[in-house]
Amino acid sequence: YSGHDSSLIALFAALGVLGEGVREWPKTASSLIFETWRMRDGTRSVRAVYNGQPLMLTSTSRASDGLTPYDDFKAFVDSRVPSDFAAACQVPSKL
């Protein structure tokens, strides 16, 4: 899949990496790749790589390569995604 710079910025904001892992507007042909890994012990991990550099997604992301245990990544994403989209998209009655 591919996206525009504004799509990447919105995703970076949702991931909470603006100002930390991402400090400037995405350049033309930037890439954000999510990798899934099966570790030797059978567990799963996730890694996000932006323009060839790993992003630290959680406090448990490995500093050397950004690998994050899947359960930690899932909890991280679940904390940022509304469970009730209809309610989250409602316009407040008093503006």
Side-chain angles (χ1 to χ4, degrees):
Y1 296 100
S2 64
H4 294 280
D5 54 353
S6 57
S7 300
L8 284 174
I9 283 293
L11 184 54
F12 292 144
L15 292 171
V17 295
L18 287 177
E20 293 179 23
V22 177
R23 292 189 171 88
E24 60 185 37
W25 199 265
K27 293 181 172 43
T28 301
S30 288
S31 66
L32 175 62
I33 300 167
F34 284 90
E35 303 171 341
T36 55
W37 292 64
R38 181 163 309 275
M39 309 309 285
R40 288 186 178 145
D41 64 2
T43 61
R44 295 175 293 165
S45 293
V46 175
R47 183 167 86 143
V49 181
Y50 174 56
N51 291 339
Q53 298 298 315
L55 293 175
M56 301 300 108
L57 297 174
T58 72
S59 61
T60 61
S61 296
R62 205 161 60 185
S64 62
D65 57 14
L67 277 172
T68 305
Y70 174 78
D71 291 337
D72 294 345
F73 177 75
K74 183 175 181 329
F76 169 77
V77 170
D78 288 346
S79 73
R80 288 169 158 65
V81 176
S83 58
D84 184 350
F85 284 101
C89 294
Q90 294 278 327
V91 175
S93 58
K94 296 181 182 182
L95 292 176

